[in-house]
Each structure stands twice: as structure tokens, then as C-alpha cells.
């Protein structure tokens, strides 16, 4: 009997390892031969641990959420398809069926550390094509695709590639930003744990295209499972020749080193990340110079988020115009949105740009986990806007969000029910900024502390009107005067909370 | 101390980001970055003591004092807040009679905040001795921590 159980953090954190032990023990007691395959997660986190059984002929049946206590009964029922925990063919579950899985096509299906399974399921097709068409045409494909940086800034990838390719230097670097610190996001973690060879392939293609021979993956230390899986994948990639003197048979050398962060949110900002990668305090650098021209060790460096690099193999394999056909307007391709917080069906939803926030929250997410009405969602991490239900018909794309001063960011959507107090959330935005500010520029370093103090006064009901005026003024200074997005965008959650939920800021004064 | 420190950190001299790698290795080996290690690191990496101290203090992963036998980190970020992260935190701190960043007098537990474990659809979340935990019940988790504290004090 072949059994698939995720090794993904979201499965392990709710008992997947213990379920595996129980399955092995139960199978032994019943003298049933069992082969356990650890996969990534399908991204339906409310069903984790999601156990899949392979039937004769290869069809899979999913069961979840499975606890240790369910294992015996599942064996007794012979894993019948009508068991209370059964969900039938996982690919037919509406949550998955309604998605356009391109980047996450393999995630949750294959053993992430089986290089053979990777190659058999379409892996390396992008690299082979890139090697055959050469650097210039590879960059043209990325340009044509319209791919924009998925880390949050949404900068056109092709332009970045062309800049690095055009820079003259004896050494260039590819740096993968895997410092996924935004609350409400886990797409980088999932792909690193579920399909690490995809990232490696994307980085090799980028290296060939811009003329870099060395790559680094900067991974946050809060992701121990990703660290283990990625570390093993890099060793396998070396052994299989995907990395090395003739990377993937491309004729070019490319190597990757894994580098661990040390618990600093700001290191997700690209210049701070580069400082940290050089072994220094992760303090933001002033731009220009652009990292594309003077990045790591002062050399031209292509800094990309995990998901951007993971989109590259399919762009190359299928062509830039194929990718461009997904999405709307200048928001091309697919985006792995992440439904998080107080949501019934939380997880990863990879769809083409153009779906409404409403569809994501209700059609996929099923509303709140608590069953209470949704009060707000925060889109795009701690620096993202709080959005009220009256705006849920908004399309999830870069342009629509830009129009209301919000951002799609890294695609995280955190749902809050009616118990949330948006004044407390605004205070938290400042507290987080104070905790994580690198300290280099004054508006962020001091403004965050002052902002938290002002919010404390507003929450306690002291001189609310005057303090709201002060708050608005402070936000303007932070927006205009900060060196990077940390200080510059902390006002986004604060001002959106104030704009859409003013009653929460006046709760005490009005005697509520 | 000095030669043991040197042995742990020297392999990273000359590597990209060598200082951070060395600090991770030192902490993994010794458990924390002792003040007495700063001049040794500075010497090995040809940096000033201020530069080394600046790096150590910048990153929340690096401890400057020994931690308790058990390490507890509770997520404080928005997605966990939305599903009762604040209550999880309050109950845990009260049960252990500690504030964030503190180690109890018996050296049994250290409790710290963490900002996102990537378990945003499975909150509230925490990490106990490096093991990730999701969908925690505040009361059950507080009881579990009290037991951990009792066991750790033995």
C-alpha cells in the first residue's frame, strides 16, 4: 500500500509525523506492507494532515484531517472511499479544481526530494529550452511573459534581467530572497518544502541568462523544515549535475549556496538582505546604486523572490506569450494567493490575476473559521491595507490595488472577523515597525515608536481628534521621508484602518 | 573558551556572510554568544569589537545569555492575532509567570515572541524546542507549558 503524507510545516505542525508513525505501526500490526511517501502540501491547510492512499492503477484518494486516533479506524474500514474523512480524488476537490496551478503544479503530488519524479513531471524542460535558445532570447521570453516580482514590489522581471545582463563584470550573482516574513504568507515556504528543484532550475536559468555563475538562497531561520528539504535538494542537484561546472547540461557553470537569516524581518528588503548576506547588520542601503548594477560585494546582482524564480521554468518551457495569456492587463500570469488568519478553508490558491477578493475569501475560503461575519482583510502582509467588505468586489491585481493606495504584495490575505479592533491593529503596525526597523533612517526608527504612543492615547480616549490629526501628520512624514518600504508603508495599514473603520478609533470617547 | 570559540568560527573566515554563519555555528555549539567571545570573533574576522557586537545585537536569533532547557516561541503576527494569538500569548505568559524574553529562575524555560512561522492558515502557532505547532488551544497549551516548566526544573 502506497501512502502519501505531507512533510510540509503546515501538516507537521498539526501532527503529520505522528500520523505517519501510527500508520507504520498499524500496518505492521496488521502485516500490511506499506510504503510512505512524504510530499509537499496540496495547500488545503484546514484538511491537514491530509493522507492520500494510492489505489491499484495509481488513482489517489484523500483523507483528512487525519489524527493519530483516526488511523486504526481507517485501516479497519480499509480506507473506503465513503469513510467520513474521505474526499475522493484530491485533484477533483473544488478548492483545487478551481485553481490554475502552474508554479505549484507538482507541489503536494511528488516526493520533493526525488529528482527522477521532478524530471518525469516536466522538470528541466525550461532549462533545456533556455540553454538551446541562448541568453538573449531567454530574457526576451521573460520580457514577453510580463512577469513581475512576486515578493511585493511587482517590478517587471525582464527589465531587471536585462539590466544585470548588460552590466560588465567578472562576477555576477543571482540572489534568491526566501526571507518570507510577511504574516499571512507561506507560498515560498510551501514551494521550498514541496518542489525545491523548481527553484533551483529557475535560478540556473537566470544564471545562464544574465551571465552569473553563483547563486545564494537567503532563507529565514523560522523555516526549519524548508531549510532541511532545500539543503538536501541542493546536495542532490549537485550530484545529478543540475548544479556544477556544466549546470543541467547547459555548458555553463552554476552553483548555489544556502544562507540562513537570523530573525530580522527587514532582511526581506533587498538591500538589507544583501548587507546581511555579507555578514553585516541588515541595514538598508540607499538606492541608487541599484543592486542590479552594484549588489552583493558590489557586483551586479539579480535579486528575486522565490515565487518569481519558480515561475521562470514554465515561462521558458511554454513560452512568454503562453504565460502572458493568464491574468489581466499588466498583471500577467498566475499568483499564488494565500488565505490566512480567521478563514474556514485557509491555504494556497494559485489563480490567474483577475479574481475578486470576494471570490477568494468566500468561494475558496468559505468565510471565517469562527463563523462570525468578516470585518476586514489585510492584504499584502504587515505593510498592507486593511480592506472592508464594501470593497471586496475589487479585482486582485496590481493596478486595481494601486488605485486605492494598497498593494497585492506577496499575495497574503489575512481575514479578521467582527471581534477585531482595527485601532489595536493600527497600533500593532507601529509596534511591529518599532521592533523590526533597521534603525538607519529617522522617520522609521523614531516615527514607529511615536506612532505607537499616539495610538495608545487614541485607544485610551485621550484627545482623540487632536491625536488623530497628529497621527495623520506622522504617517505623512514616514511615507515621504523613509528610506525603504518598512517605514514608508507602515502608514498603509494605519491609515486604511482609520479610513474604513473610524468608529474603532473613537470607541472610548463615544462610550462604546 | 577562546580556543573552543576559535575552533567553531574559523571555518567561516573568508566566506560570503562568514560572520553570520560563524555566529550561528557558535550559538549551535555553545547555546549563546557570550560577551567573552566578542573579542575573539573580532580578532578572527579582523573586525572591531563594536562591529561584531553590532551584528550580534541586530539579529533576534542570537542570544547573549544562556536559554532555559526548553525554548518556547509564540507567533505575534496578524494572522495568528486573527485567531486568538493574543489570548494564547497571555495565557502562556501568565501560566509560566514570565514576560517575553525571560527565563525562569530554575532555568527550565525561555519564552520569546516570534513574528511569523509560515503557519498563517493554521494558527495560532508556536514553536517548542524547534518543533512547530499549529491550531493551538490556549488553555491546553498553557497546561502543557506548565508541565514542561515542572519537568525542566527537575
Amino acid at each position: 500500500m502506497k501512502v502519501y503524507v505531507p512533510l510540509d510545516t503546515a501538516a507537521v505542525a498539526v501532527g503529520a509525523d505522528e500520523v505517519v508513525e501510527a500508520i507504520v505501526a498499524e500496518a505492521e500490526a496488521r502485516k500490511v506492507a506499506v510504503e510512505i511517501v512524504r510530499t509537499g502540501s496540496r495547500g488545503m491547510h484546514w484538511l491537514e494532515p491530509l493522507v492520500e492512499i494510492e489505489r491499484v492503477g495509481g488513482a489517489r484518494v484523500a483523507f483528512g484531517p487525519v489524527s493519530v486516533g483516526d488511523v486504526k479506524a481507517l485501516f479497519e474500514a480499509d480506507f473506503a472511499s465513503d469513510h467520513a474523512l474521505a474526499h475522493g480524488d484530491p485533484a477533483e476537490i473544488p478548492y483545487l479544481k478551481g485553481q490554475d496551478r502552474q508554479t505549484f503544479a507538482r507541489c503536494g503530488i511528488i516526493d520533493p526530494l526525488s529528482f527522477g519524479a521532478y524530471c518525469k513531471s516536466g522538470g528541466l524542460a525550461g532549462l533545456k529550452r533556455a540553454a538551446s535558445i541562448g541568453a538573449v532570447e531567454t530574457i526576451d521570453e521573460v520580457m514577453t511573459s510580463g512577469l513581475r516580482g512576486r515578493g511585493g514590489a511587482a517590478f517587471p522581471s525582464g527589465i531587471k534581467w536585462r539590466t544585470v545582463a548588460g552590466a560588465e563584470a567578472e562576477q555576477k550573482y543571482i540572489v534568491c530572497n526566501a526571507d518570507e516574513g510577511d504574516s499571512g504568507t507561506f507560498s515560498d515556504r510551501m514551494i521550498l518544502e514541496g518542489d525545491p528543484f523548481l527553484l533551483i532550475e529557475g535560478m540556473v536559468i537566470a544564471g545562464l541568462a544574465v551571465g552569473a555563475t553563483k547563486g545564494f538562497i537567503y532563507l529565514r531561520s523560522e523555516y526549519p523544515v524548508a531549510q532541511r528539504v532545500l539543503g538536501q535538494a541542493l546536495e542532490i542537484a549537485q550530484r545529478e549535475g543540475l548544479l556544477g561546472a556544466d549546470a543541467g547540461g547547459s555548458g555553463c557553470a552554476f552553483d548555489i549556496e544556502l544562507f540562513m537569516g537570523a530573525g530580522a524581518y527587514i532582511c526581506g528588503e533587498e538591500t538589507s538582505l544583501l548587507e546581511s548576506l555579507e555578514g553585516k547588520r541588515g541595514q538598508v542601503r540607499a538606492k541608487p546604486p541599484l543592486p542590479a548594477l552594484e549588489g552583493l560585494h558590489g557586483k551586479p546582482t539579480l535579486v528575486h523572490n522565490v515565487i518569481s524564480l519558480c515561475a521562470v521554468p514554465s515561462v521558458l518551457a511554454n513560452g512568454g506569450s503562453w504565460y502572458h495569456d493568464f491574468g489581466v492587463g499588466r498583471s500577467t500570469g498566475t499568483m499564488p494567493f494565500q488565505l490566512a488568519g480567521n478563514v474556514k478553508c485557509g491555504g494556497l490558491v494559485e489563480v490567474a490575476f483577475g479574481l475578486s477578493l470576494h471570490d477568494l475569501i468566500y468561494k475558496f475560503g468559505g468565510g471565517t473559521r469562527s463563523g462570525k461575519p468578516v470585518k476586514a482583510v489585510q492584504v499584502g502582509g504587515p505593510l498592507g491595507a486593511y480592506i472592508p467588505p464594501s470593497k471586496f468586489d475589487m479585482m486582485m491585481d496590481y493596478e486595481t490595488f494601486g488605485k486605492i493606495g494598497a498593494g497585492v504584495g506577496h499575495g497574503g490575505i489575512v481575514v479578521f472577523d467582527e471581534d477585531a479592533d482595527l485601532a489595536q491593529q493600527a497600533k500593532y503596525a507601529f509596534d511591529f515597525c518599532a521592533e523590526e526597523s533597521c534603525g538607519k533612517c529617522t522617520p522609521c526608527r523614531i516615527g514607529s515608536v511615536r506612532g505607537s504612543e499616539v495610538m495608545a492615547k487614541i485607544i485610551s480616549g485621550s484627545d482623540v481628534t487632536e491625536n488623530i490629526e497628529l497621527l495623520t501628520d506622522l504617517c505623512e512624514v514616514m511615507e515621504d521621508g523613509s528610506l525603504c518600504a518598512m517605514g514608508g508603508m507602515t502608514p498603509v495599514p494605519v491609515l486604511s484602518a482609520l479610513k474604513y473603520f473610524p468608529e474603532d478609533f473613537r470607541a472610548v470617547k463615544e462610550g462604546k | 573558551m577562546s580556543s573552543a570559540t576559535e575552533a567553531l568560527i574559523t571555518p567561516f573566515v573568508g566566506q560570503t556572510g562568514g560572520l553570520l554563519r560563524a555566529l550561528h555555528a557558535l550559538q549551535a555549539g555553545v547555546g549563546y554568544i557570550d560577551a567573552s567571545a566578542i573579542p575573539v570573533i573580532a580578532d578572527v574576522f579582523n573586525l572591531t569589537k563594536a562591529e561584531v557586537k553590532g551584528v550580534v545585537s541586530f539579529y533576534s536569533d542570537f542570544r547573549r545569555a544562556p536559554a532555559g532547557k526548553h525554548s518556547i516561541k509564540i507567533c505575534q503576527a496578524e494572522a495568528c492575532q486573527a485567531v486568538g494569538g493574543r489570548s494564547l500569548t497571555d495565557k502562556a505568559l501568565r501560566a509560566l509567570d514570565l514576560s517575553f524574553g525571560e527565563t525562569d529562575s530554575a532555568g527550565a524555560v525561555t519564552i520569546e515572541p516570534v513574528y511569523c512561522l509560515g503557519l498563517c492558515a493554521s494558527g495560532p502557532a508556536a514553536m517548542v524546542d524547534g518543533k512547530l505547532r499549529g491550531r493551538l488551544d490556549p488553555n491546553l497549551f498553557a497546561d502543557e507549558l506548565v508541565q514542561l516548566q515542572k519537568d525542566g526544573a527537575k
Side-chain angles (χ1 to χ4, degrees):
Chain A
M1 187 169 71
K2 205 166 181 179
V3 183
Y4 297 86
V5 185
L7 53 69
D8 183 284
T9 296
V12 169
V14 290
D17 290 348
E18 290 77 7
V19 167
V20 168
E21 280 170 27
I23 291 173
V24 170
E26 190 64 30
E28 210 164 282
R30 291 167 182 270
K31 309 232 179 314
V32 177
V34 64
E35 182 195 349
I36 306 269
V37 180
R38 301 302 297 265
T39 61
S41 169
R42 297 261 191 181
M44 300 180 288
H45 292 175
W46 77 100
L47 292 179
E48 297 291 1
L50 186 73
V51 174
E52 295 177 24
I53 307 295
E54 192 172 289
R55 300 267 195 247
V56 182
R60 292 198 200 175
V61 181
F63 299 85
V66 176
S67 68
V68 170
D70 297 321
V71 171
K72 203 179 159 105
L74 279 166
F75 270 91
E76 253 150 42
D78 201 20
F79 290 90
S81 298
D82 58 353
H83 188 276
L85 294 176
H87 301 282
D89 179 354
E92 293 297 316
I93 296 173
Y95 196 84
L96 281 182
K97 218 180 167 189
Q99 301 191 27
D100 306 303
R101 289 260 172 129
Q102 300 302 335
T103 300
F104 283 80
R106 278 181 213 93
C107 192
I109 299 172
I110 66 162
D111 172 355
L113 292 170
S114 165
F115 190 67
Y118 180 73
C119 295
K120 254 185 262 166
S121 52
L124 302 191
L127 175 57
K128 280 191 189 113
R129 174 138 185 275
S132 74
I133 62 177
V136 174
E137 277 188 50
T138 297
I139 296 174
D140 285 346
E141 290 285 15
V142 176
M143 276 292 222
T144 306
S145 74
L147 177 66
R148 292 164 72 177
R150 299 287 190 246
F155 188 80
S157 304
I159 294 178
K160 209 165 18 177
W161 286 42
R162 203 162 269 176
T163 309
V164 179
E168 295 281 343
E170 75 281 8
Q171 178 71 60
K172 298 180 193 178
Y173 298 103
I174 308 294
V175 171
C176 171
N177 183 348
D179 194 39
E180 183 179 49
D182 283 0
S183 174
T185 67
F186 42 77
S187 58
D188 295 357
R189 181 186 64 61
M190 273 184 61
I191 205 78
L192 293 171
E193 294 172 358
D195 197 9
F197 294 123
L198 182 66
L199 173 65
I200 297 171
E201 183 183 348
M203 288 180 74
V204 175
I205 295 171
L208 296 181
V210 305
T213 53
K214 178 91 195 171
F216 290 92
I217 300 171
Y218 186 103
L219 178 65
R220 66 199 299 262
S221 61
E222 291 86 346
Y223 283 180
V225 178
Q227 181 184 1
R228 175 171 55 82
V229 174
L230 188 55
Q232 288 175 332
L234 287 169
E235 280 174 28
I236 295 167
Q238 275 282 351
R239 218 166 45 229
E240 298 286 346
L242 175 54
L243 295 173
D246 177 22
S250 63
C252 298
F254 196 76
D255 272 307
I256 299 176
E257 267 184 61
L258 177 58
F259 187 90
M260 297 309 296
Y265 174 78
I266 192 62
C267 291
E269 195 283 333
E270 63 174 354
T271 63
S272 160
L273 182 149
L274 292 172
E275 287 286 298
S276 184
L277 189 48
E278 291 178 8
K280 302 174 196 157
R281 289 165 68 87
Q283 283 195 308
V284 172
R285 294 177 186 170
K287 286 194 272 194
L290 293 170
L293 298 172
E294 289 178 41
L296 183 64
H297 301 308
K299 303 291 184 220
T301 304
L302 184 73
V303 187
H304 255 321
N305 166 257
V306 173
I307 300 298
S308 317
L309 287 162
C310 285
V312 167
S314 61
V315 166
L316 265 297
N318 304 302
S321 52
W322 166 85
Y323 191 81
H324 192 274
D325 284 346
F326 291 95
V328 286
R330 291 181 53 237
S331 301
T332 64
T334 61
M335 180 80 189
F337 292 105
Q338 299 125 85
L339 296 175
N342 198 330
V343 63
K344 194 174 164 199
C345 301
L348 184 124
V349 180
E350 183 181 355
V351 285
F353 283 102
L355 219 62
S356 72
L357 200 44
H358 183 276
D359 280 354
L360 279 164
I361 298 165
Y362 295 101
K363 199 177 130 205
F364 284 97
T368 61
R369 192 202 289 180
S370 63
K372 294 177 182 176
V374 176
K375 178 166 179 176
V377 296
Q378 189 181 24
V379 179
L383 309 175
Y386 284 100
I387 296 171
S390 61
K391 299 260 172 206
F392 285 178
D393 57 351
M394 264 174 46
M395 289 236 281
M396 289 296 301
D397 66 79
Y398 296 127
E399 280 66 39
T400 307
F401 268 66
K403 267 182 222 150
I404 65 154
V408 172
H410 188 46
I413 299 169
V414 178
V415 181
F416 291 82
D417 73 8
E418 61 185 8
D419 291 343
D421 176 346
L422 273 294
Q424 288 291 354
Q425 297 309 123
K427 180 172 186 297
Y428 173 78
F430 284 121
D431 288 338
F432 182 70
C433 183
E435 176 75 26
E436 299 293 343
S437 172
C438 82
K440 186 151 176 172
C441 72
T442 316
C444 177
R445 184 182 66 244
I446 308 288
S448 55
V449 178
R450 292 286 171 264
S452 175
E453 291 165 1
V454 172
M455 274 313 305
K457 283 182 194 160
I458 291 170
I459 289 167
S460 73
S462 120
D463 301 327
V464 173
T465 303
E466 294 78 0
N467 276 312
I468 285 180
E469 202 179 312
L470 190 60
L471 180 78
T472 313
D473 193 44
L474 174 68
C475 284
E476 196 183 315
V477 172
M478 289 179 73
E479 262 172 19
D480 294 345
S482 299
L483 202 51
C484 81
M486 176 95 229
M489 285 174 69
T490 290
V492 172
V494 175
L495 294 177
S496 57
L498 178 63
K499 180 176 174 185
Y500 298 120
F501 307 93
E503 64 283 0
D504 284 9
F505 287 69
R506 294 181 180 274
V508 171
K509 197 182 178 188
E510 289 170 10
K512 276 185 193 163
Chain B
M1 179 72 199
S2 146
S3 66
T5 302
E6 267 186 64
L8 283 168
I9 64 174
T10 307
F12 304 102
V13 174
Q15 290 190 12
T16 291
L19 178 57
L20 243 69
R21 295 176 199 251
L23 291 171
H24 275 305
L26 184 59
Q27 178 151 305
V30 184
Y32 70 108
I33 313 291
D34 192 78
S36 68
I38 304 285
V40 182
I41 302 166
D43 193 40
V44 169
F45 278 87
N46 196 24
L47 295 165
T48 66
K49 284 179 278 183
E51 281 169 318
V52 175
K53 211 170 168 182
V55 171
V56 173
S57 63
F58 186 86
Y59 297 97
S60 57
D61 278 6
F62 300 129
R63 303 177 189 284
R64 281 170 281 171
K69 206 183 273 179
H70 299 290
S71 154
I72 302 150
K73 294 181 179 189
I74 303 182
C75 181
Q76 300 301 300
E78 292 91 338
C80 282
Q81 289 169 9
V83 284
R86 288 192 179 97
S87 154
L88 183 78
T89 301
D90 291 346
K91 286 189 173 157
L93 291 174
R94 219 175 309 137
L96 297 172
D97 194 22
L98 292 172
S99 298
F100 268 142
E102 287 185 342
T103 302
D104 59 2
S105 52
V109 295
T110 298
I111 186 159
E112 294 164 306
V114 64
Y115 294 89
C116 199
L117 295 163
L119 283 167
C120 313
S122 328
M127 194 190 250
V128 179
D129 293 331
K131 191 173 159 40
L132 292 148
R133 304 282 302 274
R135 287 186 216 139
L136 290 165
D137 175 279
N139 293 318
L140 295 178
F141 189 58
D143 292 347
E144 185 188 327
L145 296 185
V146 168
Q147 195 56 47
L148 209 59
Q149 190 176 31
K150 272 188 199 152
D151 295 346
K154 278 176 194 164

